[in-house]
Amino acid sequence: MSATTPVTQTTQTGSRSTSGFLATRPVWLVGLVATLAGAVVTEAFALVTRAAGVPMEAASPGATQAAEIPVGGFFGGVLFWSVAGIVLAVALARWAKRPARTFTVTTVALTALSLAGPAVAPHTATSTQIVLAVSHVVAAAVVVPLLAHRLAHGQR
């Protein structure tokens, strides 16, 4: 036996423990944890960009002027939109043949579609549009893999 065997086994065991933890929790609970993590990471990203001087003012289509995006606005946005993702994940866990793949493909497509909003936001600085678009990707990069991982382990 080599000296590296126990380290490799320990690493693999640790990986299985984390994998097992996510795999054995209800889909909705993994979704809730993923949403909270995604909201925190996305809000932190927004706070860093705000501190770097990016103006946090945006307008919805049809608005005549931009309004300030409040501190906590990114957090709230992730919470709001992730509810739909959790509902989708729960439904796919129950009825889809390949829930993890279907969830991943659907959410990646929806994330790509969501980038249109910041791109067409009127009265919004280009730097803010970029931050808004990147924040969509940041949130998805946290939430989607955690839920997809859970869905890959079937119903338990």
Side-chain angles (χ1 to χ4, degrees), residues 92 94-100 102:
L92 292 173
R94 182 171 182 141
W95 292 299
K97 288 182 183 179
R98 295 169 55 189
T102 305

Side-chain angles (χ1 to χ4, degrees), residues 64-75:
T64 58
Q65 64 182 11
E68 183 175 348
I69 301 169
V71 171
F74 287 79
F75 187 93

Side-chain angles (χ1 to χ4, degrees), residues 116-138:
V120 300
H123 313 293
T124 305
T126 302
S127 59
T128 305
Q129 290 174 319
I130 292 168
V131 167
L132 290 169
V134 171
S135 72
H136 290 204
V137 175
V138 167

Side-chain angles (χ1 to χ4, degrees), residues 24-112:
T24 60
R25 302 295 178 242
V27 173
W28 68 265
L29 182 59
V30 173
L32 179 63
V33 170
T35 296
L36 291 174
V40 168
V41 170
T42 305
E43 185 64 32
F45 168 73
L47 290 172
V48 167
T49 60
R50 187 184 302 263
V54 175
M56 286 297 140
E57 294 180 347
S60 300
T64 58
Q65 64 182 11
E68 183 175 348
I69 301 169
V71 171
F74 287 79
F75 187 93
V78 173
L79 291 180
F80 180 82
W81 289 107
S82 291
V83 169
I86 294 169
V87 170
L88 175 64
V90 169
L92 292 173
R94 182 171 182 141
W95 292 299
K97 288 182 183 179
R98 295 169 55 189
R101 177 165 167 58
T102 305
F103 179 79
T104 301
V105 168
T106 302
T107 53
V108 167
L110 290 171
T111 301

